[in-house]
Amino acid sequence: MKKFIVALMLCLLLFVGCKDGESIDYSEYSFTDVVWTRDAGNDIETLIFKSDGGFVYYCSCGNPVNDSDLCEGYVYNDETKEIKFECFETTEEMVTSVKIVWSSEDALELDFNGEIRSFERED
């Protein structure tokens, strides 16, 4: 019985462990922990990059944009200004990385594979 409990605990540790044993902190970047919105014509999109590497991207109807529900988080490279989405599954039309074209406290422009999307800080 003890062997079973030890084996179970080891399995749980494998599934619950952190990514590479590191914690992510992007709190120094002005685009994190901000609610960004954009008018996409027929709908309003909301995008949030959390400082812990998590993110959400959805429309006002509640559906994920760009299949964002298939992604667990993102990794940011400050040198290239690239945000790579960490997805457990991808689709053919999915954009898996974006570049920050321009960023300020009130505006964020992202390049989604050639399509520039402009977001504004939600008050």
Side-chain angles (χ1 to χ4, degrees):
M1 184 67 168
K2 282 185 179 182
K3 287 182 183 179
F4 174 76
I5 292 173
V6 170
L8 182 63
M9 290 179 70
L10 286 174
C11 288
L12 286 173
L13 285 173
L14 287 173
F15 289 116
V16 177
C18 295
K19 284 192 262 185
D20 300 323
E22 299 175 19
S23 62
I24 294 174
D25 182 12
Y26 294 125
S27 60
E28 69 184 87
Y29 300 105
S30 63
F31 67 88
T32 62
D33 296 327
V34 174
V35 177
W36 299 104
T37 60
R38 85 175 189 114
D39 186 346
N42 298 338
D43 212 344
I44 302 295
E45 296 177 353
T46 300
L47 174 65
I48 304 169
F49 291 106
K50 299 176 183 178
S51 59
D52 66 358
F55 83 102
V56 292
Y57 190 18
Y58 58 91
C59 63
S60 60
C61 65
N63 290 328
V65 176
N66 192 48
D67 293 322
S68 63
D69 59 332
L70 299 177
C71 301
E72 299 172 310
Y74 71 94
V75 175
Y76 177 63
N77 183 327
D78 193 35
E79 290 180 20
T80 63
K81 305 294 184 207
E82 184 175 24
I83 298 169
K84 288 187 179 183
F85 300 110
E86 297 181 318
C87 305
F88 54 86
E89 184 179 339
T90 58
T91 61
E92 189 175 309
E93 61 278 346
M94 187 176 196
V95 177
T96 57
S97 69
V98 297
K99 283 201 169 200
I100 296 177
V101 177
W102 188 74
S103 175
S104 72
E105 281 191 30
D106 298 320
L108 179 65
E109 285 188 359
L110 300 174
D111 182 345
F112 278 77
N113 200 24
E115 178 190 352
I116 305 299
R117 298 184 188 177
S118 300
F119 297 84
E120 295 179 352
R121 178 188 287 265
E122 183 179 86
D123 294 325

